[in-house]
Amino acid sequence: MNTRRTGAVVALAALLFTSACGGAEGAADNADGTTKVSVTTFGCEIWNTWAIGKGVYSKHRLDVELVRSGGGSAAVAAVLSGAADFGYVNGYTAINAYNTGFPIQMVSGVNVNALPPAKPAQGVFVGKDSPIKAAADLAGKKIAVNEINGINQIVTASWLKANGVEPDSVSFVALPFTEQIPAVLSGRVDAAQLGYSLLGNNNDNVRSLADPFASNDKIYIATYVAAKSFVGKGDAAKRFHEAITETAQQLNDPANKDEAFKLLSECQKVPAETLAAQPQNALEAAVDVAALDRMAQQMVDLKMLQKKPDLGPFVTDFARS
Amino acid sequence: MSGQALSRPIATSALAVGRGVRSLWLLALLLVVWEVAARMVGSLFVPPVSQIFGAFVDTWLSASPSSLFLSSQFRADVLPSLVRLGLGYGAATVLGVGLGILIGVWRPAGAFFNPLIRLGMSVPVTALLPIAIVLFGITSGMNVFLIALGCLWPILINTYDGVRGIDRTVVTAARSLRLTRRRYFLRVLLPGASPAIFAGMRISIGIALVLMVISELYAATAGLGFYIVSQQRLFQFPQLWSAIVLLALLGILFNAIFALVERVLLRWHRNVRPDSAESH
């Protein structure tokens, strides 16, 4: 009996150490001079399909393996445990993780919100005949977002606040993107915040009150973070940022538009014409620390952070704009 | 009072303390190991126990004595969960016991419903979550439905088995005494089946807690499951662990209450006597 109990104690201790000791082990160099790195992904990102398809990663001596992650917090955990080298997270999640004390650094930006005069890429959607006409009508209502305390909730809450609606008066409900519009149409929620590209065949059944992302300043919708120890170990993080920079430049060139959507189409299994017709977020690899600072301030205003962290050490020098 | 009379309660108390220490030393040791290991490693995902307990008090018990120390966070997230759990579990008990007795007593109904019950038992209730959202919307009704459905089967099957398992001699004796249906139900059937009914209800408490949390992880606006997801997204791991500790304490509390009720109501039943329980 005592042996069993001692065994249980030893097992717990081992479990604690193994679950908590994991750390970034650093990238492995291949025989051909490339560095093998793993990058978390949510599915098909246009920059990854382009960089892999057009050999941009290879040009920067990176052998990229994409690793599926369930969300920003899972990506941070993957980076810290060594399961991935670069974690794909939105700017708010990255700031939150850094503020909590996780030893991570931002190595690149990728996606920022589409600001006017660009066509709105996102919306707060209500039913076509809904009596809700403006932000003020959403007080006391249910709004679907893809994850609680995620980027969509933060941006929507900021937009509500800017329009005189106290975000606490609204109930945010986490629903997968695919279930949000059916929930709006059946009246289970009053509104949903998602991108136009996720409306499916429901363009005519809903209308948008506004693009909450466009009502803000620059927001980093997608960035990459890495463990601090990984960044300090070699130049793989710098080369990764350079590869993303080059990819963004090429994707921003209108001449490459058709080919980019063709590559994305093969990954997403959606016709390239459909993808090309959807409003897109902007691509920006350089990190504007002032914009990140404003995002942190938004989180303070929404009481998600007690005080604004010093983001200076968070963004690597090579990633700054 | 003589010295001997005084020393008896002291000895009894000392024995009780000794028993407590004997049963809790492993838990205490595990917590110490956790504390030391977490401090050595410095992981933010698995914080030291002291930090978790600090967060527990701050999050759940930081209100004034007039509010029974229950914080606004407790009222916002734990009370809705408990209400859902109570309603779901209550509905499952009423339905499970009622239907279990019906199909146990009436053989044709048992044979008729048996395939349906087996099918219902085989479907993981969590798989019905998207359906429940469609049926009930994003309301507490969805959580109550899932909890009730998950708890129904063990209670129903145990009640059925309890009714079918009543000693035939007792049934024959009751018949020979020409008991009225009401007296037969209250004096023979219900007491005879109650150990099995209680067993089903006890199993269902754990299931109810699990389903309560799972159904709140998704499409909820309040509740312990909602709180856990929310804290995970905010990287507030001490708070997240504090909710897990609270769930564990709730589980222990419910089981203790249940054991007490069982001991009182089934005092006559050999298996629930403390002396016989220890012999198992």
Side-chain angles (χ1 to χ4, degrees):
Chain A
M1 185 68 172
N2 279 342
T3 317
R4 266 192 224 163
R5 289 188 176 187
T6 313
V9 173
V10 172
L12 177 83
L15 181 74
L16 272 171
F17 275 103
T18 50
S19 66
C21 275
E25 288 169 8
D29 284 333
N30 295 329
D32 61 358
T34 59
T35 311
K36 188 169 177 58
V37 289
S38 48
V39 181
T40 69
T41 173
F42 291 166
C44 300
E45 290 94 18
I46 193 167
W47 55 90
N48 277 329
T49 52
W50 179 269
I52 292 169
K54 302 300 284 183
V56 182
Y57 284 138
S58 311
K59 186 184 158 195
H60 290 269
R61 293 184 292 115
L62 293 169
D63 174 12
V64 168
E65 180 199 10
L66 296 176
V67 185
R68 193 96 181 185
S69 100
S73 42
V76 170
V79 155
L80 289 171
S81 67
D85 299 312
F86 300 106
Y88 172 36
V89 294
N90 70 67
Y92 294 108
T93 301
I95 292 168
N96 215 338
Y98 172 72
N99 182 60
T100 307
F102 289 105
I104 54 169
Q105 280 193 295
M106 189 172 280
V107 296
S108 191
V110 194
N111 244 184
V112 294
N113 49 339
L115 291 168
K119 222 171 148 187
Q122 303 273 334
V124 176
F125 296 97
V126 295
K128 194 178 65 178
D129 303 319
S130 167
I132 297 168
K133 306 283 181 208
D137 300 329
L138 286 168
K141 299 285 196 284
K142 274 183 193 163
I143 303 177
V145 288
N146 66 325
E147 59 179 29
I148 292 301
N149 291 328
I151 183 169
N152 300 62
Q153 178 176 338
I154 296 171
V155 172
T156 308
S158 296
W159 168 72
L160 287 168
K161 205 174 167 78
N163 284 281
V165 178
E166 195 47 52
D168 286 347
S169 72
V170 171
S171 297
F172 286 99
V173 184
L175 280 179
F177 283 126
T178 50
E179 291 180 26
Q180 291 184 8
I181 292 302
V184 169
L185 296 176
S186 65
R188 296 198 301 280
V189 295
D190 301 290
Q193 198 292 298
L194 67 163
Y196 275 91
S197 59
L198 299 162
L199 289 180
N201 297 323
N202 288 303
N203 272 305
D204 298 334
N205 299 324
V206 292
R207 61 185 160 80
S208 172
L209 301 178
D211 177 356
F213 283 78
S215 316
N216 278 275
D217 289 321
K218 186 193 287 178
I219 291 170
Y220 280 91
I221 294 171
T223 69
Y224 282 102
V225 295
K228 216 170 166 182
S229 56
F230 177 87
V231 175
K233 226 163 190 172
D235 67 343
K238 188 166 182 279
R239 280 185 277 135
F240 180 74
H241 172 70
E242 287 164 356
I244 294 283
T245 305
E246 190 175 333
T247 303
Q249 281 165 356
Q250 292 176 2
L251 287 172
N252 284 331
D253 183 347
N256 292 327
K257 196 179 163 192
D258 289 345
E259 198 176 357
F261 285 117
K262 191 167 163 276
L263 283 170
L264 185 63
S265 157
E266 285 164 16
C267 180
Q268 288 196 349
K269 315 287 180 227
V270 173
E273 305 75 48
T274 310
L275 293 170
Q278 290 165 349
Q280 303 291 321
N281 292 313
L283 289 155
E284 190 173 309
V287 180
D288 177 354
V289 181
L292 276 186
D293 232 32
R294 283 194 297 272
M295 291 170 70
Q297 184 57 50
Q298 276 182 312
M299 296 171 83
V300 175
D301 295 342
L302 293 172
K303 298 177 198 128
M304 294 177 77
L305 295 181
Q306 285 184 333
K307 69 181 182 76
K308 201 168 68 172
D310 172 16
L311 296 172
F314 176 47
V315 184
T316 52
D317 288 339
F318 57 77
R320 289 167 188 250
S321 55
Chain B
M1 199 180 272
S2 71
Q4 208 174 5
L6 257 177
S7 63
R8 198 171 296 151
I10 295 171
T12 312
S13 308
L15 273 173
V17 170
R19 269 202 299 272
V21 169
R22 258 208 327 267
S23 58
L24 291 177
W25 76 265
L26 179 62
L27 177 65
L29 184 61
L30 286 174
L31 293 179
V32 170
V33 170
W34 181 323
E35 176 77 23
V36 173
R39 282 186 184 279
M40 282 170 66
V41 173
S43 165
L44 293 163
F45 293 114
V46 188
V49 176
S50 54
Q51 212 179 323
I52 294 170
F53 286 156
F56 182 90
V57 174
D58 290 346
T59 310
W60 310 115
L61 303 172
S62 56
S64 62
S66 61
S67 317
L68 297 172
F69 299 103
L70 303 178
S71 64
S72 56
Q73 193 73 58
F74 188 97
R75 289 193 294 274
D77 284 314
V78 183
L79 292 187
S81 288
L82 292 180
V83 169
R84 289 166 190 157
L85 184 124
L87 290 173
Y89 184 74
T93 304
V94 171
L95 270 175
V97 173
L99 285 174
I101 289 175
L102 181 74
I103 62 172
V105 172
W106 192 23
R107 280 172 182 257
F112 184 75
F113 284 114
N114 194 35
L116 194 67
I117 292 167
R118 301 292 159 193
L119 181 74
M121 278 184 76
S122 311
V123 176
V125 177
T126 45
L128 298 175
L129 190 57
I131 305 285
I133 292 173
V134 174
L135 291 177
F136 293 91
I138 299 156
T139 62
S140 289
M142 177 267 285
N143 311 77
V144 172
F145 167 75
L146 284 175
I147 294 167
L149 195 64
C151 296
L152 174 69
W153 309 113
I155 298 175
L156 194 152
I157 291 291
N158 273 273
T159 305
Y160 171 76
D161 284 346
V163 172
R164 302 291 299 153
I166 295 173
D167 193 340
R168 299 307 302 164
T169 325
V170 176
V171 176
T172 312
R175 277 188 190 145
S176 68
L177 288 169
R178 295 181 186 283
L179 294 182
T180 61
R181 280 192 175 184
R182 188 167 173 271
R183 278 178 76 84
Y184 173 75
F185 179 77
L186 291 174
R187 295 296 173 90
V188 179
L189 194 137
L190 209 52
S194 53
I197 295 174
F198 268 88
M201 288 172 68
R202 200 163 182 175
I203 293 167
S204 291
I205 284 189
I207 296 174
L209 266 175
V210 170
L211 289 172
M212 177 191 88
V213 175
I214 289 178
S215 66
E216 289 171 350
L217 291 174
Y218 178 80
T221 53
L224 263 171
F226 174 82
Y227 180 82
I228 287 172
V229 172
S230 170
Q231 296 310 302
Q232 187 239 344
R233 303 274 187 233
L234 291 172
F235 297 98
Q236 301 292 328
F237 286 92
Q239 283 75 9
L240 187 155
W241 280 100
S242 84
I244 294 169
V245 170
L246 182 62
L247 277 170
L249 293 178
L250 285 174
I252 292 170
L253 179 70
F254 292 149
N255 265 304
I257 292 171
F258 210 89
L260 186 71
V261 172
E262 198 175 354
R263 194 154 286 184
V264 171
L265 292 181
L266 299 184
R267 199 179 299 142
W268 55 274
H269 190 254
R270 186 171 58 88
N271 289 335
V272 293
R273 284 184 192 152
D275 53 351
S276 62
E278 276 177 16
S279 69
H280 285 295

